[in-house]
């Protein structure tokens, strides 16, 4: 019997389906969150980009916008993600390497130079320092004279998956949950179009989970965030509309399509059970990125085919936003050529393939419908197991979620080494590599440039104002006050990201792996 990557047995043929057939745009939204889906408008075509300095990343953003990107997606370097300024000793060797270095509002001003924030939506892959990066974005919008009610975008802001799968956390779990709900509350009043969290299965899958685990763990994390917001007294019908998800798209074509459809069904039922009555608060709206861990350094051109299949699965699964990886990303940051091919892949699917001409074109497929139901059933079993532990926070704190992901990762590695799982060009169909793939590397001189910028900012700003604002932030952290207004004031006085993170570290402490 053949099985897919989640261990689901696949029949030789499927001859019937007796499940529900509700139309797109109606509960539980299996066929899509809008009744007209891509006939009304295509998904947002994003390209994840950020490297080196704000100046260099700004050039790439202008290039992508000219090529037809319909939304920006910002990658931040590791020091920015974990709250260290570029001149900190912990930043050595990492500044600008896997994303752009942002140390202060000055860098954010440069990053979006000549880009009107009212005219674009921006997705920021940032978690532990999401509150600070969002504040910088808002401060810049205010300087541009923007109407904050028109500013749209997303911050990832999902710390549970950081503890479980990725590792760019700062504070312990409970204070992190508090900061997240502070962002929910503040944005509902000040930034109504902003998606306040992108609950991310992407990194859970990248760490080695199965598709079913990605689905179950992500939605369990989402449920924990909702419950935390409800405990704070927030209205589920308000903040629920601003929740979004971020899923991975891997190579098992039909499994991925079924996973996306199952996610909508499961989330709609979760939100209804938690008290949502507005249909928009029950919708699982999600961004998809093609699978970074599926890219191979061997025969990298094969990745163009992988990315195409993954992107098509995301579209047939009903994604609202999509990023396609560059074929060379197993070797280095994407070159301009690779980024262009990745974007063109989306455009060809959207404008040439015809798959957007009808809603949920695979709806009614015996196989896809049966697989969707099986994904719902297996994910529900896992989520009940998490509920029995006390929820996702407990499952992360006791290490259960991390252990389950590790087991799946190990099982996949064994299957690849035994050739039960064929990876073209890696364990089968190998060729002698020419080594001719263009490379795009960032050198270590970036750290010196950023350090000089930081010193220049500190020389020019009002040091007393910075000190007062950071003291206000510290007090807000201690007394339970919403931290967002104080972070925004600190940002606007040109306090650095590291200074803000250190202020919060001094109150909350740092997360320790037990």
């Amino acid at each position: 019997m053949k099985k897919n990557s989640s261990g689901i047995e696949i029949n030789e043929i499927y001859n019937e389906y007796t499940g529900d057939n509700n139309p797109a745009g109606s509960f539980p939204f299996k066929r899509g969150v809008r009744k007209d889906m891509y006939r009304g408008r295509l998904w947002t075509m994003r390209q994840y980009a950020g490297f080196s300095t704000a100046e260099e990343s700004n050039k790439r953003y202008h290039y992508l916008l000219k090529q037809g990107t319909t939304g920006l997606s910002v990658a931040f370097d590791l020091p920015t993600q974990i709250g260290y300024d570029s001149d900190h000793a912990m930043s050595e060797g990492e500044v600008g390497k896997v994303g752009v270095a942002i140390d202060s509002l000055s860098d954010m001003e440069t990053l979006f130079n000549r880009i009107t924030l009212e005219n674009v939506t921006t997705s920021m892959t940032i978690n532990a320092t999401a509150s600070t990066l969002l504040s910088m974005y808002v401060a810049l919008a205010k300087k541009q004279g923007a109407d904050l009610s028109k500013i749209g975008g997303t911050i990832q802001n999902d710390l549970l998956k950081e503890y479980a799968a990725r590792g760019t956390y700062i504070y312990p779990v409970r204070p992190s949950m508090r900061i997240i709900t502070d962002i929910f509350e503040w944005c509902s009043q000040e930034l109504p179009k902003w998606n306040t969290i992108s609950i991310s299965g992407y990194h859970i899958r990248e760490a080695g989970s199965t598709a079913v685990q990605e689905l179950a763990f992500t939605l369990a994390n989402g449920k924990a965030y909702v419950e935390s917001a409800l405990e704070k007294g927030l209205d589920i019908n308000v903040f629920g509309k601003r929740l979004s998800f971020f899923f991975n798209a891997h190579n098992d074509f039909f499994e991925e399509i079924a996973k996306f459809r199952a996610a909508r069904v499961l989330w709609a039922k979760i939100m209804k059970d938690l008290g949502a009555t507005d249909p928009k608060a029950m919708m699982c709206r999600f961004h998809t990125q093609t699978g970074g861990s599926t890219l191979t350094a061997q025969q990298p051109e094969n990745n163009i085919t992988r990315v195409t299949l993954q992107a098509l699965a995301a579209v047939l699964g009903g994604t609202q936003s999509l990023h396609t990886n560059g074929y060379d990303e197993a070797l280095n940051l994407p070159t301009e050529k690779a980024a262009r091919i990745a974007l063109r892949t989306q455009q060809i699917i959207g404008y040439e393939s015809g798959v957007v001409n009808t809603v949920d074109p695979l709806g009614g497929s015996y196989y896809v419908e049966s697989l969707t139901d099986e994904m719902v059933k297996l994910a529900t079993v896992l989520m009940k197991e998490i509920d029995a532990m006390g929820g996702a926070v407990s499952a992360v704190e006791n290490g259960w979620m991390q252990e389950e992901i590790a087991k799946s990762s190990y099982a996949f590695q064994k299957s690849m080494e035994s050739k039960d799982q064929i990876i073209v060009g890696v364990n089968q169909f190998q060729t002698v590599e020419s080594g001719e793939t263009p490379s795009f590397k960032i050198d270590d001189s970036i750290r010196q440039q950023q350090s000089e910028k930081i010193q220049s900012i500190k020389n020019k700003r009002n040091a007393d104002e910075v000190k007062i604002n950071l003291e206000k932030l510290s007090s807000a952290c201690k007394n339970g006050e919403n931290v967002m207004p104080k972070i925004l004031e600190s940002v606007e006085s040109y306090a650095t990201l590291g200074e803000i993170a250190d202020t919060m570290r001094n109150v909350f402490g740092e997360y320790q792996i037990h």
Side-chain angles (χ1 to χ4, degrees):
M1 175 70 75
K2 286 189 175 294
K3 295 182 178 182
N4 66 15
S5 70
S6 291
I8 297 172
E9 293 185 349
I10 305 302
N11 298 339
E12 183 175 353
I13 191 167
Y14 291 78
N15 290 316
E16 63 177 354
Y17 176 69
T18 57
D20 71 82
N21 196 28
N22 293 335
S26 63
F27 184 90
F29 311 106
K30 179 172 68 173
R31 305 198 68 185
V33 294
R34 298 197 317 272
K35 66 178 183 179
D36 60 351
M37 284 303 288
Y38 305 132
R39 287 171 66 98
R41 68 175 184 273
L42 295 182
W43 62 93
T44 301
M45 298 183 187
R46 299 189 189 277
Q47 285 306 113
Y48 187 49
F51 54 87
S52 183
T53 61
E55 290 88 349
E56 290 302 313
S57 293
N58 177 260
K59 292 176 186 176
R60 177 65 65 91
Y61 296 157
H62 281 285
Y63 171 78
L64 290 170
L65 289 168
K66 287 178 182 177
Q67 297 301 314
T69 294
T70 53
L72 297 175
S73 185
V74 184
F76 298 96
D77 71 359
L78 286 176
T80 302
Q81 292 183 49
I82 55 177
Y84 292 116
D85 289 334
S86 296
D87 59 359
H88 193 284
M90 290 291 288
S91 301
E92 188 170 354
E94 293 294 345
V95 176
K97 292 291 179 69
V98 298
V100 61
I102 300 294
D103 292 308
S104 73
L105 176 56
S106 177
D107 286 326
M108 188 67 79
E109 291 164 353
T110 302
L111 187 66
F112 290 98
N113 184 37
R114 296 183 295 112
I115 297 173
T116 303
L117 299 189
E118 277 193 20
N119 297 339
V120 297
T121 61
T122 301
S123 174
M124 295 192 280
T125 302
I126 197 73
N127 297 281
T129 55
S131 55
T132 303
L133 271 297
L134 175 59
S135 294
M136 289 181 183
Y137 195 83
V138 170
L140 175 59
K142 289 170 65 177
K143 291 188 78 169
Q144 289 185 355
D147 179 351
L148 294 186
S149 68
K150 296 179 180 178
I151 296 296
T154 305
I155 42 172
Q156 196 165 105
N157 196 27
D158 174 4
L159 266 298
L160 289 176
K161 70 93 177 49
E162 292 294 328
Y163 306 116
R166 189 162 176 261
T168 59
Y169 44 70
I170 301 175
Y171 317 110
V173 178
R174 307 287 168 167
S176 293
M177 295 294 285
R178 176 254 176 110
I179 296 167
I180 289 165
T181 55
D182 279 358
I183 293 171
F184 288 1
E185 181 180 48
W186 186 81
C187 286
S188 69
Q189 299 164 3
E190 305 293 336
L191 217 63
K193 286 183 66 176
W194 195 267
N195 296 323
T196 52
I197 192 168
S198 176
I199 305 157
S200 176
Y202 184 85
H203 305 98
I204 291 170
R205 193 67 176 281
E206 290 293 283
S209 79
T210 66
V212 166
Q213 286 174 329
E214 177 193 357
L215 185 58
F217 296 171
T218 304
L219 298 185
N221 288 347
K223 183 179 178 182
Y225 294 128
V226 172
E227 289 172 338
S228 182
L230 289 172
E231 288 174 10
K232 196 179 180 76
L234 303 185
D235 186 344
I236 193 171
N237 287 319
V238 175
F239 75 80
K241 297 175 187 176
R242 305 289 8 137
L243 305 178
S244 66
F245 289 83
F246 175 22
F247 288 113
N248 210 315
H250 268 225
N251 289 331
D252 193 320
F253 188 69
F254 291 108
E255 180 181 37
E256 294 302 299
I257 295 167
K259 179 186 74 181
F260 298 132
R261 300 171 92 245
R264 286 192 291 270
V265 172
L266 286 163
W267 187 245
K269 292 177 179 177
I270 287 169
M271 289 297 277
K272 186 174 183 180
D273 289 346
L274 288 172
T277 55
D278 188 325
K280 290 185 177 179
M282 304 178 201
M283 293 179 180
C284 178
R285 298 168 299 109
F286 61 91
H287 170 73
T288 309
Q289 182 175 340
T290 56
S293 62
T294 69
L295 302 178
T296 64
Q298 301 90 336
Q299 302 178 32
E301 294 87 352
N302 293 344
N303 295 327
I304 297 174
T305 304
R306 292 185 178 101
V307 168
T308 302
L309 285 169
Q310 293 163 6
L312 184 58
V315 170
L316 291 173
T319 193
Q320 278 63 67
S321 172
L322 178 61
H323 162 72
T324 34
N325 291 326
Y327 71 89
D328 56 358
E329 287 191 60
L331 298 164
N332 44 243
L333 291 169
T335 57
E336 198 170 89
K337 176 183 178 182
R340 184 174 65 249
I341 291 172
L343 176 59
R344 295 290 184 255
T345 300
Q346 293 197 52
Q347 291 167 333
I348 289 167
I349 292 171
Y351 296 104
E352 296 186 29
S353 72
V355 300
V356 302
N357 292 340
T358 190
V359 175
D360 189 28
L362 291 180
S365 157
Y366 297 149
Y367 178 36
V368 171
E369 295 290 3
S370 296
L371 196 52
T372 300
D373 288 351
E374 191 69 13
M375 298 286 278
V376 168
K377 182 174 76 175
L378 292 177
T380 298
V381 170
L382 278 177
M383 285 189 286
K384 285 182 177 178
E385 192 170 352
I386 292 169
D387 283 341
M389 295 177 203
V393 173
S394 296
V396 166
E397 287 183 324
N398 67 25
W400 180 85
M401 200 177 288
Q402 297 90 312
E403 186 176 345
E404 292 300 301
I405 295 169
K407 287 178 184 175
S408 296
S409 179
Y410 180 61
F412 175 80
Q413 184 64 29
K414 286 205 304 184
S415 72
M416 194 175 72
E417 291 176 3
S418 66
K419 294 191 177 181
D420 289 336
Q421 173 68 56
I422 299 299
I423 308 296
V424 174
V426 177
N427 63 0
Q428 192 71 282
F429 314 114
Q430 297 102 322
T431 59
V432 177
E433 299 293 322
S434 66
E436 294 176 356
T437 303
S439 64
F440 181 24
K441 307 285 186 185
I442 303 298
D443 64 55
D444 290 325
S445 66
I446 300 302
R447 182 170 183 243
Q448 182 60 34
Q449 293 180 40
Q450 285 298 118
S451 298
E452 290 171 0
K453 287 182 189 176
I454 292 170
Q455 192 55 54
S456 176
I457 287 292
K458 288 182 176 180
N459 291 340
K460 287 189 265 186
R461 70 189 187 182
N462 184 326
D464 290 337
E465 184 183 7
V466 172
K467 182 181 178 183
I468 291 168
N469 287 334
L470 291 175
E471 287 172 350
K472 288 180 181 178
L473 172 59
S474 180
S475 295
C477 292
K478 291 172 184 173
N479 63 26
E481 185 182 347
N482 192 305
V483 297
M484 284 300 293
K486 306 308 178 187
I487 294 174
L488 181 57
E489 288 177 3
S490 299
V491 160
E492 290 179 322
S493 64
Y494 290 85
T496 68
L497 173 112
E499 289 171 331
I500 293 169
D502 283 346
T503 298
M504 299 172 79
R505 277 188 182 95
N506 290 337
V507 178
F508 298 134
E510 292 186 316
Y511 176 72
Q512 302 295 325
I513 299 175
H514 300 294

